[in-house]
Amino acid sequence: MEVCYVLDASAFINGFPINTSNNFTVSEITAEIKDFNSRLKFDMAIEENKLIIEDVPCEYMDHVDECIAQSGDVLRLSIPDKKLIALAYMLFKKGKNVKVISDDYTIQNSLKIMNIPFSGVVTEGINEIYNWKKVCQGCKHEFDMDYPYDDCEICGSKIFKKRIKVKR
Ligand SMILES: [Zn+2]
């Protein structure tokens, strides 16, 4: 089955070659394509019928929210990002052979959680799932993201957010 590429803004910006007519995206990403050349490429692809802009019903957006709610990525995804992931999920549910093209780390992590194939243009794609934790600068104690204070309750040092590798 031919691969349906779901293209993130970074696919255009980082020069993903648009050769087939099986490229999909959502209208919201146009706001993220600001430089002239990338924009030209985007417009050309639409004009040449190589890029299809799809509408994504809410139910698919809701499913994305549910899937990534636990990962800590949910707050870091923009609406266009979320919609793009929802589009990939929608095509996947329709039985398409989907591959998302994105160099966005947060998008890749979310796709990994949802078991949707992806590939980067620049990056090779990540192999692990990461989650956010709060870590004490002093004693290195790890707190969950819902730990409400900026200081460590054990040693009083400052706390910073860190990506922690988690087992799948
Ligand atoms: Zn501490």
Side-chain angles (χ1 to χ4, degrees), residues 3-164:
V3 179
C4 292
Y5 293 105
V6 175
L7 305 182
D8 172 26
S10 63
F12 296 94
I13 294 162
N14 295 330
F16 177 74
I18 298 165
N19 299 322
T20 68
S21 54
N22 262 0
N23 300 286
F24 297 84
T25 196
V26 294
S27 58
E28 282 81 357
I29 75 149
T30 54
E32 295 182 350
I33 304 174
K34 294 189 176 86
D35 73 289
F36 180 79
N37 282 327
S38 307
R39 194 54 195 256
L40 191 66
K41 202 166 164 190
F42 180 88
D43 291 341
M44 289 265 290
I46 289 175
E47 207 163 303
E48 293 170 356
N49 295 318
K50 288 178 173 174
L51 179 65
I52 300 150
I53 294 185
E54 285 270 11
D55 232 359
V56 185
C58 307
E59 57 192 279
Y60 296 105
M61 294 284 279
D62 294 344
H63 181 80
V64 172
D65 276 333
E66 281 166 30
C67 286
I68 61 175
Q70 297 303 314
S71 80
D73 282 320
V74 65
L75 297 174
R76 310 184 74 83
L77 284 175
S78 65
I79 298 288
D81 292 347
K82 230 185 262 183
K83 199 136 190 196
L84 194 89
I85 295 167
L87 168 63
Y89 175 68
M90 182 178 90
L91 294 171
F92 179 74
K93 283 301 262 187
K94 288 180 176 173
K96 307 273 191 197
N97 185 9
V98 181
K99 191 168 207 179
V100 178
I101 304 297
S102 175
D103 285 319
D104 185 304
Y105 196 77
T106 309
I107 291 179
Q108 290 186 356
N109 198 47
S110 303
L111 292 166
K112 190 116 208 166
I113 290 166
M114 295 178 69
N115 281 316
I116 296 173
F118 62 86
S119 162
V121 183
V122 176
T123 60
E124 277 300 303
I126 55 170
N127 295 314
E128 312 285 346
I129 292 181
Y130 289 81
N131 214 337
W132 291 91
K133 286 267 186 193
K134 286 184 168 177
V135 182
C136 170
Q137 239 163 17
C139 69
K140 310 294 180 205
H141 186 85
E142 291 175 10
F143 298 92
D144 287 333
M145 281 305 284
D146 55 8
Y147 178 73
Y149 310 113
D150 293 332
D151 302 323
C152 175
E153 63 183 5
I154 300 161
C155 74
S157 302
K158 268 225 156 325
I159 280 177
F160 61 98
K161 287 179 198 160
K162 192 183 171 190
R163 272 187 182 275
I164 304 282

